[in-house]
Amino acid sequence: MSDKRVTVIDIAKAAGVSKSTVSLVLQGSPLVNESTRTKVSAVMRDLGYVYNRGAANLRQTGSKTRIIGVVVNDLTNSFFAELAVGVDMVVQSAGFVQFLSNTSESIDRQREVIASMREHGISGLIVSPARGTAAADFKPLVAAGIPVVAVVRGLPGARISSVLSANMEGAIEAVRHLATLGHKRIAFMGGFANTEVFRERLAGYRQAMEDLGLGFSEDLVIASAPSRAGGVDAVGRAMAMPDRPTAALCFNDAVAFGACDGLRARRLEPGEDFAVIGFDDVIEAGTAVPALTTVAVDPQGMGRRAAQLLLKQINAGKPEPETIVTAVRLVVRESCGAHRGPVDVEQMRKKA
Amino acid sequence: MSDKRVTVIDIAKAAGVSKSTVSLVLQGSPLVNESTRTKVSAVMRDLGYVYNRGAANLRQTGSKTRIIGVVVNDLTNSFFAELAVGVDMVVQSAGFVQFLSNTSESIDRQREVIASMREHGISGLIVSPARGTAAADFKPLVAAGIPVVAVVRGLPGARISSVLSANMEGAIEAVRHLATLGHKRIAFMGGFANTEVFRERLAGYRQAMEDLGLGFSEDLVIASAPSRAGGVDAVGRAMAMPDRPTAALCFNDAVAFGACDGLRARRLEPGEDFAVIGFDDVIEAGTAVPALTTVAVDPQGMGRRAAQLLLKQINAGKPEPETIVTAVRLVVRESCGAHRGPVDVEQMRKKA
DNA sequence: TTGACATTTTGGAACGTTCCAATTAAACGC
DNA sequence: GCGTTTAATTGGAACGTTCCAAAATGTCAA
């Protein structure tokens, strides 16, 4: 159809005004007369004008693009998909648009993606850092005055904001619940020790065990890959111990599912012969059999929070680092055995 | 730190060459001498230069931005999240970056989002249209020469490409499988008749029934919302029929899960007293109890295909509409009862 | 009529890049 | 040493917008 792009000058000519006036209309300036405004708007509609943000941005001092970058480490994980949706919701209604990229936990890819986003002139960045990300990687961004919000995983050492979940409190609550049910030997299963999230959840576990007078022992911390397979492996190691645990708080839901698989493979029923609690409350947690008792964090809410914080900082000019910790809550379902009342721990020990 | 953006001119000055030469280096032109190239590159690194794509794009004829827009109707649905990941994979490795937005099935939001993307100058668009999208909505895009690929749901009437799944073939295969197990009265449950996907799956069901000599009857087509609740509803209506079906092909997995719920509520066991087959193979399908037999479509693969097609069209200049149909395959698990061999249909009828 | 003031409008210059035509430098054949 | 080709470099004009200072227009009081 039209081979040439229609510009502000074309509009000006057709409406019989100057390009400056058209520009004023575009930005909704109160300086322009109402009658000319309507006239110009009509012409824009007629000619099918589309605003060229790139050109505008070029002139504008600083980067006033209304683009915000979102980098997540695993979008196939519904946790992060929900998070992205939360971000999108507030970003969209603020008239921004989001660049979304997936790093698959690759630091190289993360670097590439962020570089590419910078070239496009994002006005802010929300990132759930890939494992092993160094604080220094974000130095150039903050030096350029681009606000950055780390989400889910913090970035200690960097002067950037973060939106985290109350991992420690969640772990404490979960352990307390298991203790209420009568468990005394409670394991912490899954996850790698080199992540912030692991440290926090483990710290909560440790504190709860000590506060309850059950004592903390390294033996009951059984690290493994934070995956279903890792859960199977961990539960296997737990069962091989001389003084077996009767319950476990798992690093995340994937590990918890794996733990259930592993129990079944040994003819043990999760929630009956061994109590399992997960972390995150992924979608499948409610529909699995047995339904998983887990510490729910609200990824969509975190996404929204992160976006709000970022927008605030973008508007504020000078980004002042800030940390938000979002609450979590224990969702009691079946895998912890609570639906069948207090347990006879000795009985469970014997059977397992 | 640095208050002023470092530009190509700064580099030129520092390296003792002209800005044109720097530009040539930037685009990796073979015209520039190797020694100057290395010198210029070094200076760029030292000064922390970041390329300004916006400016470049302004000069370049047409919109050569390396941005592609991705619009999905429901990112919280893991099907679409997988699709987005597939797109991201190929888009990213081609040096593009993706704008991703979620419409939540709202046509208004879809319009806004696409308008915003146009302003930013996307060089192509992948869209899974919200329900009720009119072909005309994409007229301006294609008029402007921006390639568009519809994915999952086609957009009949518009001259745009699409990447669909073999819905009809999948439905045929599912019905055949149920027939093999001995079923004769097979229902088609769930979904609304006003969608393309519904029509295709239903068409497959119909053709298979006729080919197998089981006959097609409107009575056995039980429409409902394409959700879990819709499935419960549909199975209820099926059971109230005088001449009850003994099996059902469901519009999607959500409906199938709902059907299982509904059966259980009637003390019937899915896969034992009634055979259920879903469509899509969402993640939970494998872990549910009973594991769902379903027609698997590969969303990530579709995303990759769509992105490849789009990139091809972007490079080709004039986009020539093309339709790709991706294969599906029946994944036999437990909900169809196949794991217990051929069924005694009369027995099932009596029990239900 | 004139100046003072408020309200609208306007021409250029700028933003950071690419493209084009033109220039310079180097190398070659004779 | 001279034209001719080849290789490398360059200045300026675009691209579509916003910003600024300045100009036009209208209104009112003296």
Side-chain angles (χ1 to χ4, degrees):
Chain A
M1 209 73 43
S2 58
D3 43 345
K4 208 95 194 93
R5 204 190 167 101
V6 27
T7 83
V8 92
I9 299 190
D10 301 325
I11 304 294
K13 247 179 259 169
V17 295
S18 79
K19 58 180 172 41
S20 304
T21 305
V22 178
S23 172
L24 257 12
V25 171
L26 244 19
Q27 352 188 199
S29 161
L31 288 173
V32 44
N33 188 294
E34 206 47 52
S35 69
T36 52
R37 181 195 305 284
T38 51
K39 184 174 58 187
V40 170
S41 307
V43 174
M44 293 201 296
R45 207 171 15 257
D46 292 350
L47 300 193
Y49 170 73
V50 324
Y51 184 65
N52 185 335
R53 250 175 226 286
N57 176 233
L58 181 54
R59 186 61 178 81
Q60 255 144 354
T61 38
S63 45
K64 275 280 159 211
T65 30
R66 300 183 76 83
I67 304 176
I68 78 122
V70 180
V71 177
V72 300
N73 48 292
D74 181 10
L75 196 63
T76 55
N77 183 330
S78 54
F79 182 92
F80 291 104
E82 290 274 349
L83 189 120
V85 169
V87 171
D88 195 46
M89 283 170 62
V90 352
V91 148
Q92 219 177 92
S93 61
F96 282 64
V97 52
Q98 76 172 344
F99 271 143
L100 186 131
S101 269
N102 192 235
T103 61
S104 311
E105 294 286 9
S106 152
I107 302 198
D108 288 337
R109 193 162 247 191
Q110 178 174 280
R111 203 187 338 265
E112 281 169 26
V113 156
I114 292 178
S116 170
M117 287 179 171
R118 274 205 78 187
E119 292 186 353
H120 283 284
I122 51 174
S123 26
L125 178 70
I126 293 178
V127 56
S128 120
R131 234 191 303 286
T133 303
D137 290 356
F138 293 91
K139 246 338 203 10
L141 272 279
V142 312
I146 298 175
V148 178
V149 174
V151 68
V152 182
R153 304 174 179 174
L155 216 44
R159 271 184 53 81
I160 69 178
S161 300
S162 29
V163 173
L164 310 171
S165 52
N167 288 313
M168 191 161 166
E169 289 75 3
I172 291 173
E173 197 181 347
V175 172
R176 286 224 175 101
H177 182 249
L178 288 172
T180 307
L181 294 174
H183 294 279
K184 296 200 177 345
R185 279 189 68 77
I186 303 171
F188 184 89
M189 280 187 188
F192 288 131
N194 63 347
T195 73
E196 192 65 12
V197 175
F198 180 91
R199 274 190 291 272
E200 291 172 5
R201 294 182 181 174
L202 179 60
Y205 161 83
R206 176 177 195 150
Q207 182 174 322
M209 290 297 277
E210 289 173 345
D211 286 358
L212 290 163
L214 299 175
F216 172 79
S217 155
E218 287 285 356
D219 297 346
L220 286 173
V221 178
I222 307 171
S224 80
S227 62
R228 200 154 180 147
V232 174
D233 178 44
V235 88
R237 269 147 55 211
M239 288 311 166
M241 291 171 64
D243 193 11
R244 292 193 202 96
T246 60
L249 168 59
C250 297
F251 172 67
N252 66 14
D253 286 345
V255 170
F257 285 131
C260 292
D261 292 346
L263 288 167
R264 285 248 179 73
R266 288 179 169 67
R267 305 240 167 279
L268 298 173
E269 186 56 25
E272 198 162 319
D273 307 318
F274 191 97
V276 174
I277 295 189
F279 219 114
D280 287 351
D281 196 22
V282 299
I283 292 182
E284 305 92 301
T287 58
V289 173
L292 198 65
T293 292
T294 185
V295 179
V297 336
D298 171 20
Q300 191 168 313
M302 287 180 77
R304 280 197 300 268
R305 285 268 176 71
Q308 281 155 354
L309 178 55
L310 188 71
L311 291 179
K312 192 179 90 180
Q313 300 198 339
I314 288 172
N315 294 330
K318 264 281 148 276
E320 197 53 51
E322 191 171 329
T323 296
I324 293 179
V325 176
T326 64
V328 300
R329 65 176 219 286
L330 182 69
V331 177
V332 178
R333 298 202 182 92
E334 300 164 9
S335 67
C336 61
H339 60 302
R340 39 176 66 229
V343 293
D344 179 345
V345 172
E346 273 322 304
Q347 162 78 20
M348 286 172 81
R349 292 283 292 285
K350 234 180 297 167
K351 192 162 177 193
Chain B
M1 209 85 26
S2 60
D3 44 345
K4 209 94 195 96
R5 206 187 167 101
V6 28
T7 83
V8 93
I9 299 192
D10 301 325
I11 305 294
K13 246 178 260 171
V17 296
S18 80
K19 59 179 170 42
S20 304
T21 304
V22 177
S23 173
L24 257 13
V25 171
L26 244 17
Q27 4 195 182
S29 160
L31 287 172
V32 44
N33 187 295
E34 205 48 50
S35 68
T36 53
R37 181 195 305 285
T38 51
K39 184 174 57 186
V40 169
S41 307
V43 174
M44 292 200 298
R45 206 171 15 258
D46 292 352
L47 300 194
Y49 170 73
V50 324
Y51 185 64
N52 185 336
R53 253 176 223 285
N57 175 233
L58 182 54
R59 185 61 178 80
Q60 256 145 352
T61 40
S63 46
K64 277 276 158 214
T65 31
R66 301 181 76 84
I67 304 178
I68 79 124
V70 181
V71 176
V72 301
N73 49 291
D74 182 10
L75 195 64
T76 55
N77 183 328
S78 54
F79 182 92
F80 291 104
E82 290 273 349
L83 188 119
V85 169
V87 170
D88 194 46
M89 282 169 62
V90 354
V91 148
Q92 216 177 96
S93 61
F96 282 64
V97 52
Q98 75 173 344
F99 270 143
L100 185 131
S101 270
N102 191 236
T103 61
S104 311
E105 295 283 10
S106 152
I107 302 198
D108 288 337
R109 193 163 246 191
Q110 178 173 279
R111 202 187 339 264
E112 281 169 24
V113 156
I114 292 178
S116 170
M117 287 177 171
R118 272 204 80 186
E119 292 186 353
H120 283 284
I122 52 174
S123 25
L125 179 71
I126 293 178
V127 56
S128 120
R131 235 192 301 287
T133 303
D137 290 356
F138 294 91
K139 246 336 201 12
L141 272 280
V142 313
I146 299 176
V148 177
V149 174
V151 68
V152 181
R153 307 174 178 174
L155 217 42
R159 272 184 52 80
I160 67 177
S161 300
S162 30
V163 174
L164 310 171
S165 53
N167 287 312
M168 192 163 167
E169 289 74 2
I172 292 174
E173 197 181 345
V175 172
R176 287 224 174 100
H177 182 249
L178 289 172
T180 307
L181 294 175
H183 296 279
K184 297 202 177 342
R185 281 189 67 76
I186 303 171
F188 183 89
M189 281 187 188
F192 289 131
N194 64 345
T195 73
E196 191 65 13
V197 174
F198 180 90
R199 276 191 290 273
E200 291 172 6
R201 293 182 180 174
L202 179 60
Y205 162 81
R206 176 177 195 147
Q207 182 172 322
M209 290 297 278
E210 289 172 346
D211 287 358
L212 291 163
L214 299 176
F216 172 79
S217 155
E218 287 285 358
D219 298 344
L220 286 172
V221 178
I222 307 171
S224 80
S227 61
R228 200 152 180 151
V232 174
D233 179 45
V235 87
R237 269 149 54 212
M239 287 312 168
M241 291 172 65
D243 194 10
R244 293 194 201 95
T246 59
L249 169 59
C250 296
F251 171 67
N252 65 15
D253 286 345
V255 171
F257 285 131
C260 292
D261 292 346
L263 288 167
R264 285 248 180 73
R266 289 178 169 66
R267 306 239 167 280
L268 297 174
E269 185 58 23
E272 197 162 320
D273 307 318
F274 191 96
V276 174
I277 295 188
F279 219 113
D280 287 351
D281 195 23
V282 299
I283 292 182
E284 305 92 301
T287 59
V289 175
L292 198 65
T293 292
T294 186
V295 180
V297 336
D298 171 21
Q300 192 167 314
M302 288 181 77
R304 279 197 301 266
R305 285 266 176 72
Q308 282 155 354
L309 177 55
L310 187 71
L311 291 179
K312 194 179 89 182
Q313 299 198 341
I314 287 171
N315 294 330
K318 264 281 148 275
E320 197 53 52
E322 190 172 330
T323 296
I324 294 179
V325 176
T326 63
V328 300
R329 64 177 222 286
L330 182 70
V331 178
V332 178
R333 298 204 181 93
E334 299 164 8
S335 67
C336 61
H339 59 302
R340 37 178 64 226
V343 292
D344 178 343
V345 172
E346 273 320 308
Q347 163 76 22
M348 284 172 83
R349 290 281 292 286
K350 229 179 304 166
K351 192 165 176 192

